[in-house]
């Protein structure tokens, strides 16, 4: 009769197997590996929590210590491949298949393992896409998560770095999976409850906080004058004319420069209150001067940032905070906000081809996507109008009746024509294509597709791809801002000049930008120490950013 | 150290009255540009001493584009280059020309 609850009975069996190592829900850290061997079964889909910020690092170490004769053929379904342990599980033969979104620091090693056939790759996703699949065809049987603290009933406090946890737990706990949490401490009363205890089956006291990477801290001291020039171009040539109030920024130095120009150059342009007021953004320290100058109304965050907790706590009008006063971040909701409620994404990339496709995959490095493809794409399901969205839509399709015309999200790629080690940002053929050929992938790992990109900004100018009417115009518009890269030098000069006359390409001089303003003195903060001053001493930068 | 020298005829004489200006710094990946209003008519000369050898073709293009875009007639540019990228060179040249115009443009 009751053959409709196999999953529930399987979970009960897993919990019973794990209970041998537990007192209530609590398991000693020394028994972590034994617990995992008891609860996880070969072939399971396992989510080992970790993204570009927080990491369930104790559980990662416990998993690689497992006996491959007991635990093998696991299918890892997780946001980030970030810790060495995330790849050690494949080298040790514990895991076989991988579906993920981001692999920043492991980008070289993951490429090696993929080429060597040690990892069977499902797909590289955007965060929101992977989260979606947790509820459809990649539901974890076991989730290994990280929290700040737990109480005796297994209620969890995830603090400012809530990030992916509610999504992972939702998909696992409500579909007969087992949730195992590592926590920094066990307390009598939590500051707030982020995850209810009935969704958590085992709790391990790590006796220390989980690892968090300060990925969103950009030292103003490293911003170059060329980057300042690109920032000025973006502000005057895109933010101002479209009136972009709702937006997301990438993590590169060009967008950090924009953040630091708001209170100076932006103020001079009269843009305060007219642009950059509502954000889907991590707590970027470089946004502090703009916040303190009254530019920002509110910010929803994917995650937190090391050193920003006290500042956020003291600025609850700006950030989303819990009853305890600290930040409540949520990656799935913030990604959704970035997709549907932001009018612009602007970020850097490593390679752009002649169709405008961009990718962060370069020879030997597979960095994954994180959230960029989601932020950097037009939401086809969007239905609410806004000024920038309507204006961009009209530029792309002037012939259509206004009431029937889709708007367009502004998707802006910004960077210098030459990146680190003088590698050109513009290429005839993306390394991502070669990778796809070598690994026989159905899809090349493209971060932002060319038909989603609306503008490319370099020090040479802005290419407005919305105004291009065919592939030739598009190609020459891209070559026309590609500077002295091979792609840029192979431009058709007369064609590019015609595009400039039509406003498809706009040079700094076309926008009345004074090259003498491209000076570090234009930055509202020129060092991390300046950011600390702007914050009234509330921002506490991690030690690697302190040089005083 | 490579020495490069380019002579052009600009479309027009550079505006402004200032006699000379200095922008940038000599550092790795950066450059210093001294610009002087010393040449007759629409003549323009760019004299380069660079630490990075073998980039003559790119320099030639950067300089030609600069002269085309900014019309720096009557100006002589002396460049001390520490191996700057072309985007930095283009920015410094524009800054030097602009610095010689003085305020009020």
């Amino acid at each position: 009769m009751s053959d409709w609850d196999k999953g529930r009975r399987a979970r009960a069996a897993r919990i019973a197997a794990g209970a041998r190592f537990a007192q209530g829900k609590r398991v000693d850290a020394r028994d972590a590996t034994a617990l995992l061997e008891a609860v996880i079964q070969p072939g399971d889909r396992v989510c080992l929590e970790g993204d570009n910020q927080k990491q369930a690092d104790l559980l990662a170490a416990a998993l690689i210590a497992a006996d491959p004769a007991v635990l093998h053929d696991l299918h890892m379904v997780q946001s980030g491949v970030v810790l060495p342990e995330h790849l050690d599980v494949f080298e040790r033969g514990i895991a076989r298949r991988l579906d993920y979104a981001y692999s920043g620091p492991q980008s070289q090693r993951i490429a090696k393992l993929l080429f060597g056939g040690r990892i069977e790759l499902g797909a590289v996703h955007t965060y929101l896409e992977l989260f979606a699949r947790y509820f459809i065809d990649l539901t974890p049987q076991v989730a290994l998560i990280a929290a700040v603290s737990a109480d005796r009933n297994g209620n969890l406090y995830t603090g400012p770095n809530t990030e992916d946890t509610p999504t992972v737990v939702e998909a696992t706990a409500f579909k007969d999976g087992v949730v195992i949490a590592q926590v920094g401490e066990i307390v009598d009363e939590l500051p707030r409850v982020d995850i209810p205890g009935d969704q958590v089956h085992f709790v391990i006291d790590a006796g220390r906080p989980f690892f968090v990477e300060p990925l969103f801290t950009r030292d103003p001291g490293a911003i170059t004058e060329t980057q300042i020039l690109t920032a000025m171009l973006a502000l005057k040539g895109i933010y101002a004319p479209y009136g972009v109030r709702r937006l997301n920024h990438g993590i590169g130095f060009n967008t950090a420069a924009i953040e630091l120009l708001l209170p100076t150059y932006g103020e001079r342009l009269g843009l305060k209150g007219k642009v950059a007021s509502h954000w889907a953004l991590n707590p970027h320290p470089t946004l502090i001067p703009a916040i303190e100058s009254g530019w920002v109304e509110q910010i929803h965050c994917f995650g937190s940032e090391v050193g920003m907790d006290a500042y956020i706590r003291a600025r609850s009008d700006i950030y989303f905070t819990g009853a305890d006063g600290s930040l409540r971040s949520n990656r799935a909701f913030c990604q959704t906000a970035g997709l549907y409620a932001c009018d612009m994404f602007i970020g850097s990339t490593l390679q752009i081809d002649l169709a405008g496709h961009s990718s962060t995959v370069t020879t030997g490095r597979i960095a994954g996507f994180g959230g960029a493809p989601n932020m950097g794409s037009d939401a086809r399901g969007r239905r609410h109008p806004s000024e920038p969205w309507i204006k961009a839509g009209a530029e792309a399709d002037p012939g259509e009746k206004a009431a029937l015309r889709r708007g367009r999200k502004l998707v802006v790629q910004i960077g210098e024509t030459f990146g680190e080690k003088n590698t050109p940002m513009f290429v005839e053929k993306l390394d991502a294509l070669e990778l796809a050929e070598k690994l026989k992938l159905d899809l090349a790992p493209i971060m932002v597709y060319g038909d989603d990109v609306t503008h490319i900004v370099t020090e040479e100018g802005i290419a407005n791809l919305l105004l291009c009417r065919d592939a030739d115009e598009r190609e020459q518009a891209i070559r026309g801002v590609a500077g002295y890269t091979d792609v840029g030098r192979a431009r058709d000069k007369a064609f590019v000049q015609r595009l400039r006359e039509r406003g498809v390409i706009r040079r700094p001089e076309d926008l009345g930008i004074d090259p003498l303003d491209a000076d570090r003195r234009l930055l509202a903060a020129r060092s991390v120490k300046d950011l600390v001053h702007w914050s009234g001493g509330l921002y506490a930068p991690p030690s690697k950013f302190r040089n005083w | 150290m490579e020495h490069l020298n380019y002579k052009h005829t600009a479309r027009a004489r550079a505006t402004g009255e200032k006699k000379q200006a200095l922008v940038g710094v000599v550092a790795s990946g950066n450059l210093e540009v001294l610009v002087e209003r010393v040449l007759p008519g629409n003549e323009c000369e760019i004299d380069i001493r660079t630490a990075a050898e073998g980039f003559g073709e790119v320099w030639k293009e950067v300089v030609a584009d600069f002269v085309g875009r900014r019309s720096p007639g009557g100006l002589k540019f002396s460049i001390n280059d520490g191996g700057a990228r072309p985007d930095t060179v283009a920015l410094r040249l524009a800054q030097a020309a602009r610095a010689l115009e003085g305020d009020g443009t």
Side-chain angles (χ1 to χ4, degrees):
Chain A
M1 264 299 280
S2 60
D3 214 13
W4 292 99
D5 62 351
K6 291 195 292 287
R8 190 171 293 179
R9 281 183 284 128
R11 167 160 67 187
R14 287 167 188 264
I15 291 173
R20 282 184 291 138
F21 305 98
Q23 283 187 300
K25 291 182 177 178
R26 193 170 171 173
V27 175
D28 196 288
R30 282 169 303 185
D31 293 327
T33 297
L35 174 75
L36 298 185
E37 287 178 343
V39 170
I40 303 173
Q41 289 169 10
D44 270 359
R45 278 185 301 271
V46 175
C47 174
L48 174 53
E49 188 180 17
D51 46 44
N52 52 5
Q53 299 177 276
K54 80 188 280 195
Q55 304 298 337
D57 51 347
L58 176 134
L59 290 167
L63 186 61
I64 60 160
D67 181 353
V70 178
L71 281 190
H72 50 85
D73 295 311
L74 300 185
H75 179 179
M76 307 307 291
V77 289
Q78 62 194 50
S79 290
V81 174
V82 172
L83 301 175
E85 289 88 344
H86 292 157
L87 290 174
D88 294 346
V89 289
F90 291 94
E91 279 193 335
R92 296 208 55 231
I94 295 167
R96 183 163 54 87
R97 196 171 166 80
L98 173 67
D99 278 281
Y100 77 111
Y102 170 81
S103 66
Q106 299 296 332
S107 59
Q108 260 177 316
R109 193 165 155 226
I110 199 170
K112 237 181 255 170
L113 289 174
L114 283 169
F115 283 123
R118 295 301 295 267
I119 296 178
E120 200 180 294
L121 180 66
V124 189
H125 305 73
T126 171
Y127 286 128
L128 196 57
E129 182 183 20
L130 183 65
F131 296 159
R133 293 190 67 188
Y134 286 165
F135 295 92
I136 300 293
D137 61 343
L138 291 180
T139 308
Q141 271 98 20
V142 179
L144 310 176
I145 63 167
V148 173
S149 51
D151 67 14
R152 279 165 224 294
N153 297 317
N155 293 304
L156 301 181
Y157 173 56
T158 46
N161 293 90
T162 296
E163 303 182 9
D164 305 17
T165 315
T167 311
V168 170
V169 171
E170 178 93 11
T172 310
F174 291 96
K175 198 69 193 75
D176 301 322
V178 178
V179 174
I180 301 174
Q182 73 169 70
V183 300
E185 59 178 341
I186 293 179
V187 297
D188 288 333
E189 203 173 334
L190 294 173
R192 72 176 192 231
V193 176
D194 289 295
I195 305 291
D198 64 357
Q199 299 169 23
V200 178
H201 306 97
F202 297 101
V203 173
I204 298 172
D205 183 358
R208 58 168 174 80
F210 52 76
F211 176 74
V212 186
E213 173 75 16
L215 192 68
F216 296 86
T217 300
R218 288 288 167 268
D219 184 345
I223 294 173
T224 67
E225 286 165 342
T226 317
Q227 286 161 347
I228 294 171
L229 179 61
T230 61
M232 287 167 32
L233 278 160
L235 278 170
K236 200 161 183 187
I238 299 174
Y239 289 59
Y242 291 96
V244 183
R245 292 172 61 90
R246 311 180 304 167
L247 72 168
N248 167 257
H249 270 188
I251 64 171
F253 282 100
N254 304 84
T255 43
I258 293 173
E259 290 156 21
L260 291 170
L261 288 193
L262 290 173
T264 57
Y265 193 63
E267 185 89 34
R268 202 200 293 171
L269 297 175
L271 296 177
K272 187 171 166 183
K274 296 182 185 148
V275 307
S277 53
H278 295 72
W279 298 74
L281 192 81
N282 276 315
H284 289 190
T286 39
L287 198 60
I288 291 172
I291 294 170
E292 295 302 305
S293 306
W295 280 69
V296 177
E297 284 188 38
Q298 69 178 52
I299 304 172
H300 187 257
C301 301
F302 310 93
S304 190
E305 182 64 1
V306 180
M308 287 289 282
D309 293 349
Y311 179 74
I312 292 164
R313 206 176 260 280
R315 297 290 179 275
S316 58
D317 280 351
I318 305 294
Y319 294 100
F320 286 70
T321 53
D324 64 316
S326 80
L327 181 74
R328 164 75 178 201
S329 61
N330 186 308
R331 192 170 314 280
F333 287 147
C334 198
Q335 288 284 334
T336 307
L339 178 62
Y340 280 102
C342 285
D343 294 313
M344 180 168 83
F345 162 77
I346 177 166
S348 313
T349 187
L350 292 179
Q351 287 190 339
I352 300 180
D353 73 8
L354 299 176
H357 296 308
S358 84
S359 169
T360 54
V361 170
T362 55
T363 320
R365 277 182 190 274
I366 306 174
F369 300 131
N374 177 54
M375 299 286 133
S377 66
D378 201 29
R380 302 280 288 176
R382 179 174 163 178
R383 292 294 181 271
H384 72 282
S386 67
E387 190 193 321
W389 191 72
I390 297 249
K391 182 176 158 75
E395 286 182 345
D397 190 7
E400 178 62 282
K401 227 169 146 179
L404 285 175
R405 185 164 54 209
R406 279 178 189 278
R408 281 288 295 271
K409 183 189 216 173
L410 298 167
V411 176
V412 183
Q413 299 279 271
I414 184 169
E416 303 98 279
T417 49
F418 288 95
E420 268 178 50
K421 292 178 191 157
N422 277 346
T423 46
M425 180 164 79
F426 295 90
V427 295
E428 299 270 344
K429 185 184 178 188
L430 296 172
D431 287 353
L433 269 175
E434 265 161 49
L435 177 92
E437 285 158 16
K438 270 194 213 164
L439 287 175
K440 298 186 175 63
L441 302 176
D442 293 332
L443 288 176
I446 302 300
M447 188 174 74
V448 178
Y449 282 117
D451 61 356
D452 274 325
V453 177
T454 63
H455 297 76
I456 298 173
V457 182
T458 71
E459 75 282 351
E460 203 187 4
I462 301 174
N464 181 343
L465 303 184
L466 291 166
L467 298 174
C468 294
R469 296 290 168 252
D470 56 40
D472 283 347
E473 288 192 6
R474 202 177 173 79
E475 175 180 331
Q476 291 301 329
I478 292 169
R479 289 190 189 276
V481 295
Y484 299 95
T485 60
D486 289 344
V487 166
R489 292 167 69 190
R491 72 184 60 172
D492 175 338
K493 284 192 175 173
F495 200 137
V496 167
Q497 183 53 33
R498 287 196 298 278
L499 292 176
R500 188 176 167 194
E501 282 155 15
R502 271 172 49 199
V504 176
I505 289 178
R506 300 177 86 189
R507 304 268 178 241
E509 53 270 34
D510 301 338
L511 288 162
I513 287 172
D514 187 341
L516 287 178
D517 278 336
D519 187 305
R520 287 183 36 79
R521 280 170 295 188
L522 198 62
L523 297 173
R526 293 187 277 283
S527 66
V528 171
K529 199 172 179 181
D530 283 353
L531 293 172
V532 176
H533 285 307
W534 270 103
S535 75
L538 291 165
Y539 171 46
S543 55
K544 74 172 181 183
F545 290 101
R546 286 174 185 269
N547 55 6
W548 62 91
Chain B
M1 191 61 78
E2 189 170 337
H3 180 215
L4 303 164
N5 185 280
Y6 302 99
K7 291 192 173 73
H8 285 267
T9 305
R11 275 182 288 116
R13 234 177 125 66
T15 56
E17 292 303 321
K18 280 183 83 174
K19 290 290 175 218
Q20 66 169 44
L22 185 70
V23 299
V25 289
V26 191
S28 176
N30 214 322
L31 72 159
E32 184 183 65
V33 182
L34 170 69
V35 54
E36 301 162 287
R37 201 187 294 274
V38 290
L39 299 177
N42 290 1
E43 281 178 34
C44 177
E45 181 181 348
I46 291 111
D47 195 72
I48 301 151
R49 281 169 202 284
T50 173
E53 302 196 1
F55 292 94
E57 275 307 300
V58 181
W59 277 104
K60 194 171 149 191
E61 284 190 43
V62 173
V63 165
D65 284 349
F66 164 68
V67 174
R69 282 180 196 173
R70 292 269 164 189
S71 308
L75 307 187
K76 181 183 178 186
F77 296 79
S78 306
I79 296 177
N80 244 326
D81 172 51
R85 300 188 317 204
D87 50 273
T88 312
V89 175
L91 174 62
R92 289 280 179 248
L93 282 169
Q95 288 177 330
R98 177 66 188 81
L100 212 59
E101 289 170 8
D103 294 328
T105 44

